[in-house]
Amino acid sequence: MSAIRLLVLGAVRQHGRAHGYQVRNDLEFWGAHEWSNAKPGSIYHALKQMDKQGLLRAHDIAPSTAGGPPRTEYELTPAGEEEYFRLLRAALVQRDPKTDLLSAGIGFIVDLPRDEAVALLKERVRALAEWRTTVTSYYTPEGGPGQLGHIGEIMHMWVHAADSGAEWTRGLIERIEGGAYVFAGEGEPFVGVLADGQENPYAPRDAARAPEAADGEDGPDDAG
Protein backbone atom coordinates (compact mmCIF):
# COMPACT_ATOMS: atom_id res chain seq x y z
CA MET A 1 0.00 0.00 0.00
CA SER A 2 1.40 3.37 -1.02
CA ALA A 3 1.67 6.25 1.43
CA ILE A 4 1.31 8.86 -1.32
CA ARG A 5 -2.42 8.19 -1.75
CA LEU A 6 -3.08 8.60 1.97
CA LEU A 7 -0.93 11.71 2.17
CA VAL A 8 -2.57 13.41 -0.80
CA LEU A 9 -6.13 12.50 0.20
CA GLY A 10 -5.48 13.66 3.75
CA ALA A 11 -3.93 16.96 2.68
CA VAL A 12 -6.80 17.75 0.32
CA ARG A 13 -9.33 16.79 2.98
CA GLN A 14 -7.83 19.16 5.54
CA HIS A 15 -8.36 22.09 3.18
CA GLY A 16 -11.76 21.02 1.89
CA ARG A 17 -10.60 22.00 -1.57
CA ALA A 18 -6.94 22.37 -2.52
CA HIS A 19 -4.83 22.81 -5.63
CA GLY A 20 -1.67 20.88 -6.34
CA TYR A 21 0.71 23.50 -5.01
CA GLN A 22 -1.11 23.64 -1.67
CA VAL A 23 -0.86 19.86 -1.31
CA ARG A 24 2.82 19.93 -2.23
CA ASN A 25 3.51 22.80 0.16
CA ASP A 26 1.75 21.05 3.06
CA LEU A 27 3.61 17.79 2.54
CA GLU A 28 6.94 19.62 2.36
CA PHE A 29 5.94 21.52 5.53
CA TRP A 30 5.53 18.13 7.23
CA GLY A 31 8.88 16.95 5.84
CA ALA A 32 7.15 14.21 3.86
CA HIS A 33 9.51 14.76 0.92
CA GLU A 34 12.27 13.40 3.20
CA TRP A 35 10.53 10.32 4.64
CA SER A 36 8.21 9.33 1.79
CA ASN A 37 7.85 9.42 -1.97
CA ALA A 38 5.93 12.69 -1.75
CA LYS A 39 7.92 14.37 -4.49
CA PRO A 40 6.32 16.89 -6.90
CA GLY A 41 5.87 14.41 -9.74
CA SER A 42 4.28 11.82 -7.45
CA ILE A 43 1.91 14.36 -5.90
CA TYR A 44 0.58 15.72 -9.19
CA HIS A 45 0.36 12.23 -10.64
CA ALA A 46 -1.63 11.02 -7.62
CA LEU A 47 -4.05 13.96 -7.87
CA LYS A 48 -4.78 13.26 -11.54
CA GLN A 49 -5.03 9.51 -11.07
CA MET A 50 -7.42 9.76 -8.13
CA ASP A 51 -9.53 12.26 -10.10
CA LYS A 52 -9.81 9.64 -12.88
CA GLN A 53 -10.64 6.97 -10.29
CA GLY A 54 -13.47 9.03 -8.81
CA LEU A 55 -11.77 9.58 -5.46
CA LEU A 56 -11.26 13.29 -6.10
CA ARG A 57 -13.37 15.83 -7.97
CA ALA A 58 -11.50 18.45 -10.00
CA HIS A 59 -12.61 22.07 -10.36
CA ASP A 60 -10.92 24.48 -12.77
CA ILE A 61 -10.58 27.97 -11.33
CA ALA A 62 -9.45 31.27 -12.81
CA PRO A 63 -5.76 31.82 -13.55
CA SER A 64 -3.74 33.70 -10.96
CA THR A 65 -2.93 37.34 -11.43
CA ALA A 66 0.63 36.27 -12.30
CA GLY A 67 -0.67 34.57 -15.42
CA GLY A 68 -0.29 30.99 -16.48
CA PRO A 69 -2.88 28.27 -17.02
CA PRO A 70 -6.01 27.93 -14.86
CA ARG A 71 -5.44 26.11 -11.62
CA THR A 72 -7.29 22.96 -10.71
CA GLU A 73 -8.66 22.54 -7.22
CA TYR A 74 -9.54 19.11 -5.89
CA GLU A 75 -11.96 17.87 -3.24
CA LEU A 76 -12.73 14.41 -1.94
CA THR A 77 -15.75 12.58 -3.32
CA PRO A 78 -17.74 10.24 -1.06
CA ALA A 79 -15.66 7.39 -2.50
CA GLY A 80 -12.50 9.36 -1.73
CA GLU A 81 -13.62 9.90 1.87
CA GLU A 82 -14.20 6.16 2.23
CA GLU A 83 -10.81 5.34 0.70
CA TYR A 84 -9.08 7.88 2.94
CA PHE A 85 -10.35 6.27 6.14
CA ARG A 86 -9.66 2.76 4.83
CA LEU A 87 -6.02 3.70 4.16
CA LEU A 88 -5.71 5.55 7.48
CA ARG A 89 -6.99 2.61 9.53
CA ALA A 90 -4.80 0.15 7.66
CA ALA A 91 -1.71 2.32 8.22
CA LEU A 92 -2.25 2.37 11.99
CA VAL A 93 -3.09 -1.27 12.60
CA GLN A 94 -0.47 -3.10 10.54
CA ARG A 95 2.54 -4.49 12.40
CA ASP A 96 4.98 -3.93 9.54
CA PRO A 97 3.97 -0.97 7.37
CA LYS A 98 6.73 0.95 5.71
CA THR A 99 7.87 3.90 7.78
CA ASP A 100 6.31 6.38 5.37
CA LEU A 101 2.90 4.70 5.62
CA LEU A 102 2.93 4.61 9.42
CA SER A 103 4.13 8.23 9.49
CA ALA A 104 1.23 9.25 7.25
CA GLY A 105 -1.20 7.38 9.50
CA ILE A 106 0.08 9.15 12.61
CA GLY A 107 -0.15 12.46 10.77
CA PHE A 108 -3.88 11.99 10.28
CA ILE A 109 -4.72 9.92 13.38
CA VAL A 110 -6.79 12.71 14.95
CA ASP A 111 -9.33 12.42 12.13
CA LEU A 112 -10.55 9.30 13.95
CA PRO A 113 -12.48 9.15 17.23
CA ARG A 114 -10.12 8.78 20.19
CA ASP A 115 -11.43 5.33 21.17
CA GLU A 116 -11.00 3.98 17.65
CA ALA A 117 -7.45 5.30 17.37
CA VAL A 118 -6.54 3.56 20.63
CA ALA A 119 -8.18 0.32 19.51
CA LEU A 120 -6.26 0.32 16.23
CA LEU A 121 -2.96 0.97 17.99
CA LYS A 122 -3.64 -1.80 20.51
CA GLU A 123 -4.24 -4.14 17.59
CA ARG A 124 -0.84 -3.13 16.21
CA VAL A 125 0.80 -3.99 19.56
CA ARG A 126 -0.94 -7.37 19.54
CA ALA A 127 0.22 -8.06 15.98
CA LEU A 128 3.79 -7.11 16.86
CA ALA A 129 3.79 -9.48 19.84
CA GLU A 130 2.39 -12.29 17.70
CA TRP A 131 5.01 -11.68 15.04
CA ARG A 132 7.81 -11.67 17.63
CA THR A 133 6.62 -14.98 19.03
CA THR A 134 6.51 -16.48 15.55
CA VAL A 135 10.01 -15.28 14.73
CA THR A 136 11.60 -16.55 17.95
CA SER A 137 9.65 -19.81 17.98
CA TYR A 138 10.43 -20.92 14.47
CA TYR A 139 13.74 -19.33 13.63
CA THR A 140 15.85 -19.34 16.80
CA PRO A 141 18.06 -22.44 17.03
CA GLU A 142 18.42 -24.17 20.41
CA GLY A 143 21.87 -22.71 20.88
CA GLY A 144 20.62 -19.18 20.21
CA PRO A 145 20.80 -17.06 17.06
CA GLY A 146 24.60 -16.99 17.40
CA GLN A 147 24.57 -20.54 16.03
CA LEU A 148 23.72 -18.97 12.68
CA GLY A 149 26.87 -16.86 12.59
CA HIS A 150 26.42 -13.34 11.33
CA ILE A 151 23.06 -14.40 9.84
CA GLY A 152 21.81 -14.44 13.44
CA GLU A 153 22.03 -10.65 13.37
CA ILE A 154 18.99 -10.70 11.10
CA MET A 155 17.11 -12.34 13.97
CA HIS A 156 18.35 -9.68 16.40
CA MET A 157 17.18 -6.97 13.98
CA TRP A 158 13.68 -8.48 13.66
CA VAL A 159 13.25 -8.91 17.41
CA HIS A 160 14.56 -5.41 18.09
CA ALA A 161 12.18 -3.96 15.50
CA ALA A 162 9.22 -5.75 17.13
CA ASP A 163 10.21 -4.66 20.65
CA SER A 164 10.94 -1.04 19.79
CA GLY A 165 7.80 -0.76 17.64
CA ALA A 166 5.63 -2.12 20.45
CA GLU A 167 7.26 0.14 23.06
CA TRP A 168 6.70 3.25 20.95
CA THR A 169 3.11 2.28 20.18
CA ARG A 170 2.30 1.63 23.85
CA GLY A 171 3.70 5.05 24.71
CA LEU A 172 1.48 6.68 22.11
CA ILE A 173 -1.55 4.79 23.43
CA GLU A 174 -0.77 6.01 26.95
CA ARG A 175 -0.54 9.63 25.79
CA ILE A 176 -3.80 9.40 23.84
CA GLU A 177 -5.65 7.72 26.70
CA GLY A 178 -4.26 10.44 28.98
CA GLY A 179 -6.06 13.11 26.94
CA ALA A 180 -3.38 14.24 24.50
CA TYR A 181 -4.47 15.91 21.26
CA VAL A 182 -7.91 16.79 19.91
CA PHE A 183 -9.62 13.91 18.10
CA ALA A 184 -12.67 13.80 15.86
CA GLY A 185 -15.77 15.13 17.55
CA GLU A 186 -13.91 16.71 20.47
CA GLY A 187 -13.57 20.32 19.31
CA GLU A 188 -11.34 22.42 17.09
CA PRO A 189 -8.55 20.22 15.68
CA PHE A 190 -4.92 21.20 15.43
CA VAL A 191 -4.30 23.04 12.15
CA GLY A 192 -1.39 21.37 10.43
CA VAL A 193 -1.72 22.89 6.98
CA LEU A 194 -0.56 26.17 5.48
CA ALA A 195 -2.95 28.84 4.24
CA ASP A 196 -2.99 29.39 0.49
CA GLY A 197 0.04 31.52 -0.34
CA GLN A 198 1.60 31.15 3.11
CA GLU A 199 5.34 30.65 2.88
CA ASN A 200 6.67 27.30 4.02
CA PRO A 201 9.65 27.91 6.33
CA TYR A 202 10.79 24.31 5.91
CA ALA A 203 10.59 24.13 2.11
CA PRO A 204 13.53 22.39 0.42
CA ARG A 205 16.03 24.76 -1.12
CA ASP A 206 14.94 24.02 -4.67
CA ALA A 207 11.36 24.86 -3.75
CA ALA A 208 11.95 28.64 -3.77
CA ARG A 209 9.63 29.18 -6.71
CA ALA A 210 6.50 31.19 -7.36
CA PRO A 211 3.42 29.19 -6.41
CA GLU A 212 1.61 30.24 -9.57
CA ALA A 213 4.37 28.91 -11.77
CA ALA A 214 4.83 25.75 -9.76
CA ASP A 215 1.23 24.58 -9.86
CA GLY A 216 1.48 23.30 -13.42
CA GLU A 217 -1.93 22.03 -13.56
CA ASP A 218 -0.03 21.12 -13.32
CA GLY A 219 3.30 19.91 -12.66
CA PRO A 220 5.26 16.86 -13.72
CA ASP A 221 3.07 13.93 -14.71
CA ASP A 222 5.18 11.07 -13.43
CA ALA A 223 4.94 8.76 -10.48
CA GLY A 224 8.14 10.10 -8.95
Side-chain angles (χ1 to χ4, degrees), residues 73-137:
E73 287 188 342
Y74 298 89
E75 65 178 337
L76 269 66
T77 63
E81 185 85 357
E82 182 178 339
E83 175 70 355
Y84 167 70
F85 279 104
R86 184 189 73 80
L87 293 172
L88 174 55
R89 292 180 174 110
L92 293 172
V93 77
Q94 293 180 29
R95 65 161 176 80
D96 61 346
K98 294 182 178 179
T99 303
D100 59 348
L101 185 58
L102 179 58
S103 298
I106 297 302
F108 297 120
I109 193 172
V110 294
D111 286 345
L112 297 168
R114 185 180 297 271
D115 289 347
E116 183 179 4
V118 168
L120 290 169
L121 292 171
K122 286 183 176 179
E123 176 60 22
R124 180 170 191 266
V125 172
R126 186 205 62 76
L128 283 165
E130 184 178 84
W131 178 50
R132 188 189 195 283
T133 298
T134 300
V135 169
T136 56
S137 296

Side-chain angles (χ1 to χ4, degrees), residues 2-196:
S2 170
I4 190 68
R5 289 168 69 88
L6 175 56
L7 286 167
V8 170
L9 286 171
V12 171
R13 186 177 183 274
Q14 291 201 17
H15 284 283
R17 279 174 55 162
H19 52 74
Y21 180 78
Q22 284 177 294
V23 174
R24 176 182 176 179
N25 207 33
D26 284 341
L27 298 186
E28 289 176 349
F29 180 55
W30 302 345
H33 58 292
E34 298 290 352
W35 48 258
S36 78
N37 193 36
K39 304 299 190 290
S42 298
I43 293 169
Y44 291 112
H45 178 78
L47 287 166
K48 292 178 181 179
Q49 283 296 106
M50 289 193 285
D51 176 33
K52 293 177 183 177
Q53 294 166 355
L55 303 178
L56 293 173
R57 182 178 296 113
H59 303 271
D60 287 334
I61 59 174
S64 70
T65 55
R71 278 182 168 174
T72 300
E73 287 188 342
Y74 298 89
E75 65 178 337
L76 269 66
T77 63
E81 185 85 357
E82 182 178 339
E83 175 70 355
Y84 167 70
F85 279 104
R86 184 189 73 80
L87 293 172
L88 174 55
R89 292 180 174 110
L92 293 172
V93 77
Q94 293 180 29
R95 65 161 176 80
D96 61 346
K98 294 182 178 179
T99 303
D100 59 348
L101 185 58
L102 179 58
S103 298
I106 297 302
F108 297 120
I109 193 172
V110 294
D111 286 345
L112 297 168
R114 185 180 297 271
D115 289 347
E116 183 179 4
V118 168
L120 290 169
L121 292 171
K122 286 183 176 179
E123 176 60 22
R124 180 170 191 266
V125 172
R126 186 205 62 76
L128 283 165
E130 184 178 84
W131 178 50
R132 188 189 195 283
T133 298
T134 300
V135 169
T136 56
S137 296
Y138 287 92
Y139 297 103
T140 303
E142 290 184 7
Q147 295 292 311
L148 300 175
H150 71 281
I151 303 301
E153 292 298 336
I154 298 174
M155 177 69 60
H156 288 307
M157 180 182 69
W158 288 348
V159 171
H160 178 75
D163 290 344
S164 60
E167 180 182 4
W168 173 83
T169 306
R170 285 192 293 267
L172 177 57
I173 290 170
E174 183 178 347
R175 290 189 290 278
I176 292 174
E177 289 183 325
Y181 319 121
V182 178
F183 282 78
E186 296 181 348
E188 289 298 318
F190 173 79
V191 178
V193 296
L194 299 168
D196 191 13

